[in-house]
Amino acid sequence: MAWNRNQMAERAGRELRDGTYVNLGIGIPTLVSNYIPEGVDVTLQSENGMLGMGPFPTEDEIDADLINAGKQTITELHRTSYFSSADSFGMIRGGKIAMAILGAMEVAENGDLANWMIPGKLVKGMGGAMDLVAGVGRVIVIMDHANKKGESKLLKACTLPLTGAGVVDEIITNLGVFKVVEGGLKVIETAEGVTMDEIRELTEATLVN
Amino acid sequence: MKKTYNSAAEALEGVLFDGMKIAAGGFGLCGIPENLIEGIRDAGTTNLTVASNNAGVDDFGLGILLQSKQVKKMIASYVGENDEFMRQYLSGELELEFNPQGTLAERMRAGGAGIPGFYTKTGVGTVIAEGKEHKDFNGETYILEEGIVADLSIVKAWKGDRAGNLIYRKTARNFNPNAATCGKVCIAEVEEIVPTGSLDPDLIHTPGIFVHRIFEGGHEKRIEQRTVREG
């Protein structure tokens, strides 16, 4: 049995370190906030200009002036601070954010990341992703191991335009956890019931020991 | 010096011209200068280059200037959520310069601070870096990005006074303080103009020197992704 979205998010939660500032991307990465381990205190950054992001609001708490980077309504905490976009990316580029957890379309074995456009098809933009991967301490990708056609998203080389070159440190997929190392990807952990043979079958990237 | 005006139309009087470059505050639909965008639509100014993180949605925010085909070029980091934008871009009617979000913010900040260019790691090894100067510092490669100086900045704040001092609210601050600095003229729309002297000088986000015109307007404050938890 491969991991589901929540199990992938829970696994990513175990990468969080006490006392750090962390940026969570849109989609499965957002779910990681539900799985911050007991005793680990992290402050979530939202790159539109907020540190100390709280949970989604109740109907009564909705405030149009308070959204996250995915444009979803959210709430503040006692520790919250707000700042401009230039200050926000100053702390990102300046290396103050320990970790970013992002989704991806493709990751290559050398750590290249593609998650912002499909030429001719999907033109949405990179938002803050290029700044994040260039600036934060560690970059962890959470994504399905294969695309809807069943093709590996862990590649020898990305085919889509890059978000960053050699920026990914670790990848959490529904099949396991992979670390970017010299020469390829190292399997750190397999999801319960997933065999190495299944992983080899579904991975284009070079797997190293 | 009189900075206060009664409406967007009045505040925009004499500053608009075809082919001009405009820097706009806002992130998604949060903290956008709704009234000024409508005022520019009503004025019919064309061939605009607009620097803004997003382009609104089809029928709100900067999206209405795309509907009316007043925009020639967008400088933005994210244009999802806007079908008309996508259509005009893919058909070649609209020019688009993608900027990473932090690069766009810093380009505005730099432009407003008299800094013509800066080096950043963001985008190295991607299409964003193509054609830009590369330079190594301490063994790492950076690219040169240029500051943005706009003919006009349009921003939205929570409160402002007659001296043009501005305070933003929560994440509606976003690009507004940066956009405010980079225009040769900056017009701010606020939810409330308060008596000069009533804002705590220690808590002002944008000092009045950056703001040339200010007016009070009503704000719809549309929410793009209404997300709630069980109460």
Side-chain angles (χ1 to χ4, degrees), chain B residues 139-218:
Chain B
E140 288 214 65
T141 303
Y142 295 74
I143 54 172
L144 179 66
E145 295 280 4
E146 293 184 6
I148 290 175
V149 176
D151 298 302
L152 172 67
S153 293
I154 53 174
V155 302
K156 190 265 167 182
W158 180 35
K159 291 180 181 180
D161 65 20
R162 289 175 187 281
N165 296 308
L166 304 179
I167 290 180
Y168 308 94
R169 186 170 175 276
K170 302 186 188 284
T171 56
R173 189 181 320 185
N174 58 61
F175 279 79
N176 283 297
N178 312 123
T181 64
C182 80
K184 291 173 191 160
V185 177
C186 171
I187 308 178
E189 58 178 71
V190 298
E191 291 178 44
E192 190 185 357
I193 293 185
V194 299
T196 303
S198 68
L199 297 175
D200 183 342
D202 269 332
L203 299 181
I204 284 166
H205 299 135
T206 294
I209 189 169
F210 295 112
V211 178
H212 303 90
R213 300 181 178 189
I214 183 170
F215 68 96
E216 209 175 81

Side-chain angles (χ1 to χ4, degrees), chain A residues 26 46-50 55-76 81-90 93 113 116-117 120-132 134-135 161-165 167, chain B residues 27-31 53-54 76-81 86 89-90 96 98-106 109 118-128 156 158 169-178 191 220-231:
Chain A
I26 297 162
S46 190
E47 67 266 27
N48 52 320
M50 176 185 199
F56 293 127
T58 59
E59 199 66 47
D60 294 344
E61 292 171 332
I62 287 177
D63 185 336
D65 289 337
L66 184 42
I67 63 168
N68 65 16
K71 284 112 183 178
Q72 296 170 306
T73 46
I74 42 154
T75 56
E76 62 186 20
S81 58
Y82 299 108
F83 32 83
S84 72
S85 297
D87 283 344
S88 181
F89 285 91
R93 239 186 272 102
L113 168 70
W116 73 281
M117 79 173 297
K121 266 193 190 166
L122 177 77
V123 192
K124 287 198 167 190
M126 70 292 285
M130 283 192 182
D131 307 275
L132 280 160
L162 296 187
T163 307
V167 293
Chain B
F27 175 85
L29 301 180
C30 183
N53 190 60
N54 310 84
S77 88
Y78 191 83
V79 299
E81 279 61 87
M86 190 85 89
Y89 171 66
L90 292 173
L96 169 62
F98 268 128
N99 274 196
Q101 195 172 332
T103 294
L104 180 58
E106 190 65 13
R109 196 200 70 81
F118 57 93
Y119 291 96
T120 177
K121 258 193 294 190
T122 303
V124 170
T126 75
V127 292
I128 295 305
K156 190 265 167 182
W158 180 35
R169 186 170 175 276
K170 302 186 188 284
T171 56
R173 189 181 320 185
N174 58 61
F175 279 79
N176 283 297
N178 312 123
E191 291 178 44
E220 178 186 334
K221 295 200 194 181
R222 196 182 291 186
I223 295 173
E224 227 170 317
Q225 306 280 346
R226 180 178 286 266
T227 314
V228 294
R229 68 175 196 275
E230 296 301 308

